[in-house]
Amino acid sequence: MTETIIFYVFALMTVVAATAVVTVRNPVHAALSLVLTFFTSAIIWMTLEAEFLAISLVLVYVGAVMVLFLFVVMMLDINIARLREGFVRYLPLGIAVAVIMFVMMVSVITGGIFSGDSVIEPIAKAADYSNTKALGRVLYTQYVFAFEIAAVILLVAIVAAISLTMRKRTHTKYQSPSAQIRVTKADRLRIVKMPPSSEPSRSKTLSNESLGNE
Amino acid sequence: MTDIVTNLWLSLPDGIQFTSYTLLKVFIILVPLFIVVAYYTLAERKVIGYMQNRIGPNRVGPKGLFQPFADMFKLMFKEIIIPTKSNRYLFIVAPILTFAPSMAAWAVMPFTDTLVFADINAGLLYILAMTSLGVYGVIIAGWASNSKYALLGAMRSAAQIVAYEIAMGFSLVGVLMAAGSLNLGDIVNSQAGGIYHWFILPLFPLFMVYLISGVAETNRAPFDVAEGESEIVAGFHVEYSGMTFAVFFLAEYANMILIAMLASLMFFGGWLSPLPSLMGDNIVWLFLKTGFFMLLFLWFRATFPRYRYDQIMRLGWKVLIPVTIVWLVVEGFLVYFKVGPWFN
């Protein structure tokens, strides 16, 4: 009973927040709504006892990805009025996509392997059942190749992102900390032996001048 | 009298009994936490004062002991000023968004073997997730304030927290590799058997990384560029006053205590005694170790000058993260070949 209430509360929040992502005017508000969507979905996963996935969703998407998103969105000086242009023009296409998605979802849920009749209600695991361990075991045995391939693709994406954005700029001045640390006294300082001079010192001349000003 | 209370309690429905019992436990954790936070602020001023050859606050109450209450009442009765053209709603929400995760993280903290509020399997992961949420309050505060300084502080803070979170996460991966569990109680119990079983010895590089990134995560000196008084006034909370400012303050100190307690749980054996043959395991050990790390936070602030922003980034990405990766490989071999007395 309590779980049902929790589910409906957070499901409602998820739907409202997800709608807000595409409807609110301010891009920062949209990004924050997306954060809320992720968070409430994590809670729905939590009610499914998928604690590892739920916490990872918060950790990865809410804690890292969306922070960078928000970072970029906040830095941009977005013209909101221009962003709203073309809403009516693209509306038919949007509605068509939405209808197709809706029909597909309904057909998946009502028939086939994901329908409510064909899925057996999962039995709640004991309290000491470790979701993390179970997931890790499957990930590193049954799906190890898929997992490794995903990891390699991510690595390629990282390398690609860095190589696309990194360019040698010749005229910028930057510090090289290792060179700074390696510096010794001999590189910077030259002590010169000077014979003492007999000329009157400069400061004395100056004070004489200022005194004899009148 | 006690009979009436007991009967009244038993006559309540199960749901209400459970809820009120849980709420009571929450209060038992949070009320002492608030008191510690309050006195931590006083300790900070006193300790740094003595380190700098000053006396520190000594006017309110005997030896200045009521200073935190004076501060608290002052902040409570001050006006909350909302800047013009700021985002009013987000401006108020931001401190709460910083505060709530820093409190929520305490839910899984074990104090002894049995004294733990929520003994969940993925406790460590939960704490990481909660601490990573705190950055939203900072970013939103900076953006909603409609102020240059606040935005700059928020930007710095966001970049810094994202960078150091990776180093911190990696160093904790080392801990869970050594312990073989994500549950904080199990992590402590796997360090049983005296001081040389503690994870500080085999995981010393990871401990250093954890400590440094812990200081950076909480935006404390010498990594406090998000506040940087000398450059951007007070950073992300420059526009905040009164209670909204106090909430930021509270969250920062609660986070410091959290990091200190996590350090003692994960690298210093938590409530385990250093010499089990002489002294038994006790919650006092945990508090002593936590107190030591809390002192370190203050000591750092009194000792180190502030890092320059680009050097913070360099330290995070180019020094700490490589160190953790190298040590994780080393540790992988140690665990695999069961080297040393640590990985039994």
Side-chain angles (χ1 to χ4, degrees):
Chain A
M1 180 58 194
T2 326
E3 272 172 37
T4 321
I5 295 172
I6 291 174
F7 171 77
Y8 277 111
V9 167
F10 284 101
L12 187 71
M13 277 172 79
T14 313
V15 172
V16 170
T19 318
V21 174
V22 287
T23 50
V24 292
R25 284 170 179 273
N26 193 323
V28 174
H29 291 180
L32 288 174
S33 307
L34 192 54
V35 172
L36 184 63
T37 316
F38 281 134
F39 195 79
T40 47
S41 336
I43 291 171
I44 292 174
W45 283 4
M46 196 71 99
T47 60
L48 285 171
E49 299 184 10
E51 56 182 37
F52 180 80
L53 286 179
I55 297 174
S56 328
L57 181 70
V58 173
L59 188 61
V60 176
Y61 279 90
V62 180
V65 175
M66 285 314 295
V67 173
L68 295 178
F69 244 82
L70 208 57
F71 200 93
V72 173
V73 168
M74 274 162 51
M75 299 264 265
L76 297 175
D77 188 21
I78 299 171
N79 189 344
I80 296 172
R82 259 194 62 201
L83 216 63
R84 306 291 296 179
E85 271 176 19
F87 180 76
V88 179
R89 209 177 63 178
Y90 296 120
L91 196 61
L93 186 65
I95 289 176
V97 172
V99 167
I100 291 169
M101 292 284 282
F102 185 74
V103 169
M104 279 168 75
M105 279 185 194
V106 167
S107 65
V108 164
I109 294 169
T110 50
I113 53 165
F114 292 112
S115 69
D117 307 322
S118 64
V119 176
I120 311 143
E121 192 180 334
I123 308 141
K125 297 285 195 293
D128 60 340
Y129 175 78
S130 176
N131 190 277
T132 317
K133 199 174 271 177
L135 204 70
R137 199 156 276 160
V138 176
L139 211 55
Y140 283 100
T141 54
Q142 200 177 343
Y143 300 108
V144 66
F145 289 119
F147 181 66
E148 296 291 336
I149 289 169
V152 170
I153 291 172
L154 271 177
L155 184 68
V156 171
I158 293 171
V159 173
I162 293 173
S163 62
L164 278 176
T165 51
M166 201 169 89
R167 57 190 198 280
K168 268 271 179 283
R169 284 188 291 177
T170 44
H171 296 295
T172 51
K173 287 179 180 172
Y174 59 92
Q175 292 167 322
S176 161
S178 53
Q180 286 178 327
I181 291 165
R182 275 200 310 270
V183 149
T184 55
K185 188 180 161 191
D187 299 339
R188 293 279 170 89
L189 186 70
R190 190 165 56 95
I191 297 176
V192 185
K193 197 82 179 161
M194 293 271 285
S197 65
S198 56
E199 286 169 48
S201 72
R202 195 175 165 75
S203 62
K204 202 170 180 184
T205 333
L206 273 175
S207 61
N208 279 348
E209 266 174 338
S210 60
L211 276 176
N213 213 351
E214 59 215 339
Chain B
M1 181 64 199
T2 44
D3 286 351
I4 302 169
V5 174
T6 324
N7 285 335
L8 205 66
W9 170 250
L10 290 176
S11 66
L12 288 171
D14 274 353
I16 294 177
Q17 259 189 28
F18 177 74
T19 314
S20 45
Y21 187 52
T22 312
L23 275 178
L24 184 73
K25 286 196 277 190
V26 170
F27 275 105
I28 288 175
I29 294 177
L30 288 191
V31 170
L33 179 66
F34 285 147
I35 295 172
V36 174
V37 165
Y39 276 92
Y40 196 21
T41 60
L42 177 68
E44 172 165 38
R45 295 164 74 180
K46 277 284 190 189
V47 167
I48 295 180
Y50 283 122
M51 281 180 180
Q52 295 167 347
N53 227 347
R54 296 182 283 114
I55 295 171
N58 65 345
R59 292 287 143 182
V60 191
K63 296 201 178 288
L65 276 177
F66 297 147
Q67 183 68 40
F69 296 101
D71 290 342
M72 190 180 77
F73 286 120
K74 185 193 85 173
L75 286 171
M76 271 164 80
F77 292 113
K78 271 198 163 183
E79 187 187 355
I80 296 172
I81 298 163
I82 296 174
T84 47
K85 284 193 179 176
S86 67
N87 195 311
R88 207 184 160 80
Y89 173 69
L90 286 180
F91 188 79
I92 298 295
V93 164
I96 303 168
L97 277 181
T98 317
F99 180 68
S102 72
M103 292 294 121
W106 282 89
V108 296
M109 280 305 233
F111 295 97
T112 67
D113 231 349
T114 46
L115 193 64
V116 48
F117 176 59
D119 191 15
I120 65 170
N121 278 320
L124 189 55
L125 210 58
Y126 171 81
I127 285 188
L128 275 177
M130 282 301 132
T131 48
S132 72
L133 289 183
V135 65
Y136 278 103
V138 175
I139 299 183
I140 293 172
W143 183 78
S145 296
N146 186 33
S147 152
K148 291 185 194 73
Y149 294 133
L151 190 64
L152 280 173
M155 288 298 159
R156 287 177 172 197
S157 168
Q160 179 182 331
I161 289 180
V162 168
Y164 279 84
E165 209 169 69
I166 298 171
M168 195 176 192
F170 272 159
S171 65
L172 296 186
V173 165
V175 172
L176 63 95
M177 269 168 74
S181 172
L182 276 168
N183 182 307
L184 288 165
D186 289 348
I187 289 174
V188 173
N189 283 331
S190 61
Q191 303 176 51
I195 194 166
Y196 66 96
H197 281 277
W198 293 355
F199 287 154
I200 173 77
L201 289 176
L203 305 181
F204 186 72
L206 296 184
F207 167 70
M208 290 313 290
V209 170
Y210 174 79
L211 195 62
I212 295 170
S213 36
V215 177
E217 281 274 285
T218 47
N219 284 329
R220 290 288 301 181
F223 303 113
D224 59 343
V225 289
E227 291 166 28
E229 301 92 345
S230 52
E231 306 145 26
I232 49 173
V233 196
F236 63 92
H237 60 56
V238 66
E239 301 290 348
Y240 282 85
S241 60
M243 209 54 212
T244 49
F245 169 76
V247 169
F248 272 123
F249 209 67
L250 212 59
E252 181 179 323
Y253 281 76
N255 271 332
M256 280 156 67
I257 302 170
L258 185 86
I259 297 281
M261 195 173 261
L262 276 180
S264 50
L265 282 173
M266 286 185 297
F267 294 97
F268 281 79
W271 56 83
L272 299 174
S273 151
L275 298 165
S277 51
L278 294 178
M279 294 159 284
D281 304 334
N282 200 320
I283 192 169
V284 177
W285 288 116
L286 180 64
F287 291 149
L288 277 178
K289 292 163 186 173
T290 308
F292 171 70
F293 286 111
M294 281 160 68
L295 177 70
L296 275 189
F297 272 101
L298 310 183
W299 198 349
F300 289 156
R301 188 176 162 192
T303 310
F304 296 125
R306 186 176 295 128
Y307 255 66
R308 215 176 57 206
Y309 181 69
D310 61 319
Q311 288 178 341
I312 290 182
M313 284 293 129
R314 184 180 158 267
L315 182 72
W317 289 106
K318 291 188 177 173
V319 179
L320 296 185
I321 292 176
V323 165
T324 51
I325 290 175
V326 167
W327 203 257
L328 283 182
V329 174
V330 173
E331 195 195 342
F333 282 109
L334 287 179
V335 171
Y336 189 75
F337 293 109
K338 300 196 188 318
V339 182
W342 309 296
F343 303 112
N344 26 356

